[in-house]
Amino acid sequence: MAQFPRWFTNTLVVACFNCVISTCFVLMVAYALSCCRFKGRKLIQNLSVSVNLFPGVLAMIAVYFVLKYLNLTNSYAGLIMVYAGSSGLGYLICKGFFDTIPISLREAAKLDGASDARVFFQVVLPMSKPILVYTIISSFMVPWTDFVMAKMILNSGVSADWTVAIGLYNMLQKTLINNYFALFCAGGVLVSIPISILFVIMQKFYVEGITSGADKG
């Protein structure tokens, strides 16, 4: 029943893939809406804010049937797609940080012949380490602590495929809790260790990223 090393590995794999994909999505959307001017920009911002007003669980049934149609249920690929699919909508804090970067720096780079991609990678990103750290931590934490979406998608009943959240939840069943309560408590402590380490190492950048991004929206 208790396969905590396997659950930990499964969750770590999903979290790492989601961290990379979601961070890229968030940074690209934030840069496009902050530093680029194009038709429909305001409309996209307003629509994204409106969509964010509704909790993601409202779309659970539709998401499940779409994944089932694509044969992506009970797969980590489907789980990663769900986590990363809407991550770009969480661009607001990152956009607020990009808004604080002087326009003159980007204009000077473009006068020297730099493309938007080069401006992004060589001008904007080196000056955005705090918000980059914040985005990475946030993207990692979503799958690491999620239970609802993981339980919905990984529903085959095979314990080896579970994430940590599902495994710990199943330890609390009435027929198992007396045997696995100590393991449940130990698992809860172990799950908190990676997040705690990240926060201890990156606390300075994390706090600076939030406060700087909140200055201007």
Side-chain angles (χ1 to χ4, degrees):
M1 169 62 187
Q3 304 181 49
F4 192 81
R6 181 64 181 271
W7 300 340
F8 193 94
T9 303
N10 295 342
T11 310
L12 184 63
V13 169
V14 174
C16 289
F17 273 97
N18 178 72
C19 181
V20 174
I21 299 172
S22 295
T23 299
C24 292
F25 282 175
V26 171
L27 292 176
M28 288 189 295
V29 173
Y31 176 76
L33 294 178
S34 174
C35 304
C36 302
R37 296 296 181 266
F38 53 90
K39 188 176 181 179
R41 173 174 167 272
K42 289 293 184 182
L43 177 61
I44 292 176
Q45 291 186 70
N46 293 334
L47 287 176
S48 63
V49 172
S50 300
V51 171
N52 276 327
L53 295 176
F54 300 93
V57 293
L58 293 179
M60 282 180 58
I61 297 177
V63 168
Y64 175 78
F65 280 106
V66 169
L67 291 178
K68 187 175 182 180
Y69 177 78
L70 298 174
N71 199 28
L72 287 173
T73 54
N74 297 309
S75 69
Y76 300 127
L79 190 59
I80 293 170
M81 287 175 62
V82 171
Y83 288 141
S86 62
S87 59
L89 294 176
Y91 71 91
L92 285 173
I93 294 180
C94 190
K95 175 186 177 297
F97 189 94
F98 287 166
D99 288 343
T100 64
I101 297 177
I103 299 176
S104 58
L105 294 178
R106 302 198 306 268
E107 291 178 343
K110 289 185 177 180
L111 287 175
D112 289 337
S115 62
D116 283 328
R118 190 171 182 180
V119 171
F120 175 66
F121 285 109
Q122 297 187 2
V123 178
V124 176
L125 275 190
M127 300 180 64
S128 306
K129 290 181 181 179
I131 201 63
L132 180 61
V133 170
Y134 163 77
T135 305
I136 291 173
I137 293 176
S138 300
S139 300
F140 185 86
M141 285 181 61
V142 170
W144 191 260
T145 58
D146 178 68
F147 168 77
V148 177
M149 288 296 181
K151 180 67 173 177
M152 179 189 71
I153 296 173
L154 303 177
N155 58 7
S156 64
V158 180
S159 60
D161 296 336
W162 292 345
T163 60
V164 168
I166 302 175
L168 293 179
Y169 171 80
N170 281 279
M171 285 183 182
L172 298 179
Q173 296 180 22
K174 291 183 179 180
T175 57
L176 300 174
I177 189 170
N178 291 331
N179 296 325
Y180 288 100
F181 186 73
L183 288 176
F184 170 82
C185 295
V189 174
L190 291 176
V191 167
S192 66
I193 290 177
I195 299 297
S196 301
I197 292 175
L198 282 175
F199 271 97
V200 169
I201 295 175
M202 302 181 176
Q203 182 180 14
K204 175 182 177 181
F205 296 106
Y206 184 83
V207 174
E208 184 180 348
I210 296 177
T211 54
S212 299
D215 290 341
K216 185 177 180 181

